[in-house]
Amino acid sequence: MNNRIEKLARKSLSFISPYVPGKPVEQLFREKGLSKIIKLASNENPLGASPYAVKAIKNKAQTVNRYPEGDAFALKGKLSHLLGIDGRQIVIGSGSSEIISMTVQAFCEPGDEIVFAWPSFIIYKILAHAFGAKPVEVGLNADFTYNLDSYLEKISKKTKLVILCNPNNPTGSHVKKHELRRFIRNIPENVIALFDEAYFEYAEDPDFGSAFQWLGKGNVIIARTFSKIYGLAGLRIGYGIASKDIIRILEKIRPPFNTTILAQEAAIAALDDRNFVRKSIQHNKKEKKYLSENLKKLGFTVFQSQANFLFCQTEKNAAEICQKLEENGIIVRPMTGFGLKENFIRITVGKSSENRLLIKQLEKIC
Amino acid sequence: MNNRIEKLARKSLSFISPYVPGKPVEQLFREKGLSKIIKLASNENPLGASPYAVKAIKNKAQTVNRYPEGDAFALKGKLSHLLGIDGRQIVIGSGSSEIISMTVQAFCEPGDEIVFAWPSFIIYKILAHAFGAKPVEVGLNADFTYNLDSYLEKISKKTKLVILCNPNNPTGSHVKKHELRRFIRNIPENVIALFDEAYFEYAEDPDFGSAFQWLGKGNVIIARTFSKIYGLAGLRIGYGIASKDIIRILEKIRPPFNTTILAQEAAIAALDDRNFVRKSIQHNKKEKKYLSENLKKLGFTVFQSQANFLFCQTEKNAAEICQKLEENGIIVRPMTGFGLKENFIRITVGKSSENRLLIKQLEKIC
C-alpha cells in the first residue's frame, strides 16, 4: 500500500474489510470450469424473478437513455396504496442495504454508537466504520435467538442507532410481537430504531413481530427489499418506511438517481404479481422442511428459521464441507465471514431438484 | 419539521437542499396532461440507448433474481482491455456521480475542504455537505471559461480534494492539454484531484485535455459515465479510473452491489457498439451547430460548448421562457438551481425534429 494515499483516506476506513458476498456462479465457473453450478449462498429466490417484472423489463428496455424519476414517484404511489400509508413516509433505495446506509450516514457522526446483534448482517459493521461511528455488538443466546434485554443494556448516551434484523440473517431467528413491543417501548426517543425486514414475507410464525405497527413512534425505520420474495436481487431495489420527519432527512442524502428505470418498473409490476409471491412462500415452506429434516438426518444441528435459508452447525469442519460441495458445483455460505467458528454453514432454500442434489452430495461427503 | 428528529441528524445536513433534476417527462405529463413532450433538460442521448445494450437487457431480463457480481468483473475486464490499463485501476459506480460520492466519502472528513468551480455540477456541493466537508467555490471567467490560477489559489492546507468538471456542466467549457498539464503539476501530492469527464466523448477540440495521461501522478481520479454517449442514463452506471492505491480505498466503501445485472450487461454490450457512438458524436456536432446558429439569431448569447448541450444567456427572463416552453411541451433547464441569475438556460441537443420544434417555439416566444 502506498502510504501517501492511505494517509489521505478517512481514518475509520482502516477498520473495514470489504464485504465478501456469496460466491457468484460466474466466479466458480471461472475457477473450476464447471458447466452446471447450483448457488445456494445468497438467499435469492430459486423460482426466478416475478414473471410480471421480467415482462416489464423487456417492455421498458428501449427507454433507458432517459434518467429515471429520481424519487420513484410511481413506485412510491403503489407502495403507499398497498401499505395504507402516506407516500411521504416512503423512501426508495438501491436495495434495502442503501436504506440502512442512508440511515447511518444521516444520523451517525464520528463518536456515535450503533448497537446491533452479532452474528447478523455484516453490512452493519462495515457501514459503522465507513461513516466513522462505533459498532457495538450484542451477543445472541446460545441457540442464536435474540436476547433483547442485553440489546437494551448496550444502549448508552452515545447510542444514535439500534439495528435489529428480523428475521435475522444469517441465523433465521426472529422476534415475536410481544417481545418487539417491549423492546421498542424501551428504546429512548433520541435513538433511531432501524428494523431490517428483508425476509419478513417468509415468516411463518403467526406471532412474528413486524415493526410496521410501531411507525407512529417517530424514531422507527423499516428497511425492506425486492431482492428476496420478488426475485429482483439483480436490480437493486428496496424501500424504507418511517415517519415523514425521518424520510425528509433521508431524502436529503439519497443520491438523486439511486435506482434504475428498469428496477422501478420491475418493482411496480412485481407488487401486482401476488401469484408469484404466494408460490414463492409455499415453495419455501415445503422445501425448507425437506432440507431441515434431511440435514438433521445427516447429523447437522439446524436452527429454527423464519427466512428462506437455514443456519446449520456441524461437528465436522464446515469450510471443508463447503469446499467439497464447490468442487461438485454447489455453492453454500460458510459462516467464517460472519465471525463464527468453522462449523457453521448457511444454506439458501433452492429449487426442489437443487435441494435434493445438495442432500445427495452431503450424504457422500459426511 | 419535528425538532426531535432533526436534532438527531448530522449537523452538516442542514446545509443541504436536495438536488433538483431536469423535470421528468412523466412529471410534466402529470402536471399538464400534455400528450407529446420533448425533454432537452438532462443531457440524455436523443438517439436512444445503444441497440446492442437494449438487446443485452432483453436477453438477461430473466436472470435478475440473482445478485450481480459485486465488483462487475466482466465489465472491468472489458474496460481494462479497451483503456489499456490494469483492472485494479478501475472501479464501477452507480453512474459517475457515485464515483464522485465515494471519493468524497473516502477522503474527506469534517473540516476538510473541497475545491471546485461554480457554476459546475451541483452534486459537488451537496456531497461536501453530506459528508461534513467544506465546499470552496472558484468563480469562472466572465465568458464562463475556467480560471485555473484562481483554482490553484484556493488550495489551502485544509484542501483534501479538488474537482474539475471537463467539459464543464452546465457551461460546456473545457480545459486544454497544456492548461491541464500545468494545473495537475501544481496540485500538491497530498490533495486528491478528481476529474469529472462525463462528457469527454463529445469534445471536438483536438486540444481537449483529458486527465487520462496523468493517471501516473497517483493522486488523480477520473469519473466517466455510460449515461451520455452510450445512452444508458436510466441504468445508472459509470466508472472511475485511478492508481491502484486509490481504487483499493474506494473499493472499501463501494456498496457491495452498487450496480445492477442489467446495467453491467448493457454497458459491456454498449462498449462494442462503436457505430452507435460514432453516430451519436456526428449527430451532436451537426445539431449543436444548428441550435447554436439559430439561438444566436434569436438574440441569445451562446457559449462555446464541448459537450452535448448549450449554455445560453438571454436579455429576457429565462424562467418565463422556460415556463412558456413547458406549456408547449418542451422541457429545458433554467439555471437558477445552479445559483445563476435568471437569464441563463441550458439546452440539451435533441433529435433533429426536436431541435427544430424548439427553435420554432422560441421564435414565437421571443
Side-chain angles (χ1 to χ4, degrees):
Chain A
M1 173 60 85
N2 177 331
N3 276 322
R4 180 164 64 85
I5 296 296
E6 196 178 17
K7 272 184 197 151
L8 295 177
R10 252 178 206 255
K11 304 289 162 288
S12 60
L13 298 196
S14 62
F15 300 109
I16 299 181
S17 311
Y19 178 71
V20 179
K23 187 175 281 194
V25 166
E26 295 77 8
Q27 189 182 334
L28 187 58
F29 175 75
R30 288 194 298 268
E31 287 172 6
K32 311 240 195 257
L34 294 167
S35 61
K36 179 143 176 57
I37 294 169
I38 291 171
K39 186 180 172 204
L40 304 172
S42 297
N43 305 338
E44 296 151 335
N45 192 325
L47 303 185
S50 146
Y52 284 25
V54 173
K55 200 175 157 196
I57 292 166
K58 290 180 179 172
N59 283 343
K60 290 284 174 175
Q62 295 275 3
T63 70
V64 298
N65 63 313
R66 299 295 171 186
Y67 278 89
E69 277 208 83
D71 75 339
F73 181 86
L75 175 57
K76 283 210 290 198
K78 182 107 200 167
L79 282 167
S80 151
H81 176 73
L82 287 171
L83 297 169
I85 57 175
D86 193 307
R88 288 167 295 176
Q89 290 187 262
I90 303 171
V91 61
I92 306 298
S94 173
S96 51
S97 55
E98 194 185 38
I99 304 297
I100 302 163
S101 164
M102 290 193 288
T103 304
V104 174
Q105 185 187 352
F107 293 104
C108 299
E109 307 206 56
D112 290 343
E113 292 180 356
I114 305 178
V115 176
F116 54 85
W118 197 253
S120 193
F121 191 30
I122 298 172
I123 294 291
Y124 309 149
K125 193 194 280 197
I126 294 179
L127 285 172
H129 288 310
F131 293 102
K134 188 183 163 196
V136 176
E137 297 173 9
V138 186
L140 297 176
N141 294 321
D143 61 351
F144 294 100
T145 56
Y146 274 112
N147 182 338
L148 297 182
D149 283 334
S150 50
Y151 237 102
L152 293 170
E153 281 162 21
K154 295 273 187 176
I155 295 176
S156 78
K157 278 184 183 165
K158 290 183 176 170
T159 306
K160 206 58 165 302
L161 176 63
V162 169
I163 309 178
L164 185 86
C165 186
N166 187 30
N168 189 36
N169 174 16
T171 62
S173 36
H174 72 299
V175 169
K176 288 176 186 285
K177 282 177 188 155
H178 69 278
E179 295 168 327
L180 190 76
R181 182 188 309 126
R182 195 170 154 267
F183 182 63
I184 289 186
R185 283 184 175 167
N186 279 291
I187 293 174
E189 277 204 338
N190 59 349
V191 171
I192 301 289
L194 172 64
F195 296 88
D196 181 346
E197 297 190 352
Y199 299 94
F200 88 100
E201 292 98 338
Y202 292 107
E204 293 167 34
D205 181 355
D207 205 25
F208 170 82
S210 164
F212 188 76
Q213 66 162 303
W214 298 102
L215 282 177
K217 279 275 292 172
N219 57 339
V220 166
I221 306 180
I222 302 171
R224 291 180 174 174
T225 187
F226 288 93
S227 298
K228 308 299 173 185
I229 200 90
Y230 296 103
L232 303 181
L235 286 181
R236 317 307 307 126
I237 190 153
Y239 59 99
I241 33 187
S243 64
K244 287 181 219 168
D245 292 323
I246 287 180
I247 297 297
R248 197 155 33 211
I249 287 168
L250 296 182
E251 282 291 350
K252 283 194 170 198
I253 50 157
R254 184 180 58 72
F257 303 106
N258 60 331
T259 57
T260 71
I261 283 186
L262 300 180
Q264 291 180 24
E265 293 291 338
I268 291 169
L271 284 171
D272 279 330
D273 203 346
R274 302 319 297 169
N275 189 37
F276 181 76
V277 171
R278 207 176 311 116
K279 263 172 53 186
S280 298
I281 291 173
Q282 283 165 0
H283 173 88
N284 188 63
K285 192 174 173 181
K286 184 169 67 94
E287 291 295 319
K288 192 163 61 178
K289 191 160 172 276
Y290 164 81
L291 275 179
S292 178
E293 285 172 3
N294 283 278
L295 287 165
K296 281 177 190 167
K297 278 184 202 160
L298 288 167
F300 286 91
T301 304
V302 181
F303 296 89
Q304 211 266 335
S305 165
Q306 295 288 316
N308 66 343
F309 53 82
L310 288 169
F311 184 66
C312 315
Q313 188 171 8
T314 165
E315 306 283 296
K316 307 206 170 68
N317 184 312
E320 268 175 37
I321 294 178
C322 294
Q323 187 55 37
K324 281 183 187 159
L325 284 174
E326 275 195 14
E327 281 160 17
N328 289 286
I330 300 178
I331 314 173
V332 296
R333 195 77 167 268
M335 290 285 100
T336 41
F338 284 73
L340 285 162
K341 277 177 293 175
E342 286 229 322
N343 51 343
F344 291 94
I345 304 176
R346 194 192 68 189
I347 298 171
T348 304
V349 175
K351 290 184 189 132
S352 299
S353 58
E354 293 172 338
N355 300 332
R356 273 141 197 86
L357 213 58
L358 170 75
I359 296 297
K360 216 167 114 186
Q361 289 294 345
L362 283 174
E363 279 167 358
K364 279 189 208 168
I365 295 167
C366 298
Chain B
M1 172 61 84
N2 178 328
N3 275 323
R4 180 163 65 83
I5 296 296
E6 196 177 18
K7 272 184 196 151
L8 295 178
R10 251 178 206 256
K11 305 290 164 285
S12 60
L13 299 196
S14 62
F15 300 109
I16 299 181
S17 311
Y19 178 71
V20 180
K23 187 175 281 195
V25 166
E26 295 78 7
Q27 188 182 335
L28 187 59
F29 176 76
R30 288 193 297 269
E31 288 172 6
K32 311 241 195 256
L34 295 167
S35 61
K36 177 141 178 56
I37 295 169
I38 292 171
K39 187 181 172 203
L40 305 173
S42 299
N43 305 339
E44 295 150 337
N45 192 324
L47 303 186
S50 145
Y52 284 24
V54 173
K55 201 175 158 197
I57 292 166
K58 290 180 179 171
N59 284 343
K60 290 285 175 175
Q62 295 274 3
T63 71
V64 297
N65 64 313
R66 299 294 171 187
Y67 278 89
E69 278 209 84
D71 75 340
F73 181 87
L75 175 57
K76 281 210 291 200
K78 182 107 200 164
L79 282 168
S80 151
H81 175 73
L82 287 171
L83 297 169
I85 56 175
D86 193 307
R88 289 166 295 176
Q89 290 186 262
I90 303 171
V91 60
I92 306 298
S94 172
S96 50
S97 55
E98 194 185 37
I99 303 296
I100 302 163
S101 164
M102 290 193 288
T103 303
V104 175
Q105 186 188 351
F107 293 103
C108 300
E109 308 206 55
D112 290 342
E113 292 179 356
I114 305 178
V115 176
F116 53 86
W118 197 254
S120 192
F121 191 29
I122 299 173
I123 295 291
Y124 309 148
K125 194 194 278 196
I126 293 179
L127 285 172
H129 289 308
F131 293 102
K134 189 182 162 197
V136 176
E137 298 173 8
V138 186
L140 297 176
N141 294 322
D143 61 352
F144 296 100
T145 56
Y146 276 111
N147 182 339
L148 296 183
D149 283 334
S150 49
Y151 237 102
L152 292 170
E153 281 162 21
K154 294 273 187 176
I155 295 176
S156 78
K157 280 186 182 165
K158 290 185 176 170
T159 305
K160 206 58 166 300
L161 176 64
V162 168
I163 308 178
L164 184 87
C165 187
N166 187 30
N168 189 36
N169 173 15
T171 62
S173 36
H174 72 299
V175 170
K176 289 176 187 282
K177 282 177 188 157
H178 68 277
E179 295 168 326
L180 191 75
R181 183 188 310 126
R182 195 170 155 267
F183 182 62
I184 288 186
R185 284 184 175 167
N186 280 291
I187 293 174
E189 278 205 337
N190 60 348
V191 171
I192 301 289
L194 172 65
F195 296 87
D196 181 346
E197 297 189 353
Y199 300 94
F200 88 100
E201 292 98 338
Y202 292 106
E204 293 166 34
D205 181 355
D207 204 26
F208 170 81
S210 165
F212 188 76
Q213 67 161 303
W214 298 100
L215 282 177
K217 279 275 294 170
N219 57 338
V220 166
I221 306 180
I222 302 171
R224 290 180 175 175
T225 187
F226 288 93
S227 298
K228 308 298 172 187
I229 200 91
Y230 296 103
L232 303 181
L235 287 182
R236 316 308 306 125
I237 190 151
Y239 60 100
I241 33 187
S243 65
K244 287 181 216 167
D245 292 324
I246 286 180
I247 296 297
R248 199 155 33 212
I249 287 169
L250 296 182
E251 282 291 349
K252 283 193 172 199
I253 50 158
R254 183 180 58 73
F257 303 106
N258 60 330
T259 57
T260 72
I261 283 185
L262 300 180
Q264 291 180 24
E265 293 291 338
I268 290 168
L271 285 171
D272 280 330
D273 203 345
R274 302 319 298 170
N275 189 38
F276 181 76
V277 170
R278 206 176 312 117
K279 264 170 54 185
S280 299
I281 291 173
Q282 284 166 359
H283 172 88
N284 188 65
K285 191 174 172 181
K286 184 170 66 98
E287 291 295 319
K288 192 163 60 178
K289 188 159 174 274
Y290 165 82
L291 275 179
S292 177
E293 286 171 2
N294 283 279
L295 287 165
K296 282 176 189 165
K297 278 184 203 161
L298 288 166
F300 286 90
T301 304
V302 181
F303 296 88
Q304 211 265 334
S305 166
Q306 295 287 317
N308 66 343
F309 53 82
L310 288 169
F311 184 67
C312 316
Q313 187 170 8
T314 165
E315 306 282 295
K316 308 209 169 68
N317 183 314
E320 266 175 39
I321 294 177
C322 295
Q323 185 57 36
K324 280 183 188 159
L325 285 173
E326 275 196 13
E327 281 161 18
N328 289 286
I330 299 177
I331 314 174
V332 296
R333 195 78 165 269
M335 290 286 99
T336 42
F338 284 73
L340 284 163
K341 277 178 294 172
E342 288 229 323
N343 51 343
F344 291 95
I345 305 177
R346 194 192 66 190
I347 298 171
T348 304
V349 175
K351 290 182 188 133
S352 300
S353 58
E354 293 172 339
N355 300 332
R356 274 140 195 87
L357 213 58
L358 169 76
I359 296 298
K360 215 167 114 185
Q361 289 294 345
L362 283 174
E363 279 167 357
K364 279 189 207 165
I365 294 168
C366 296

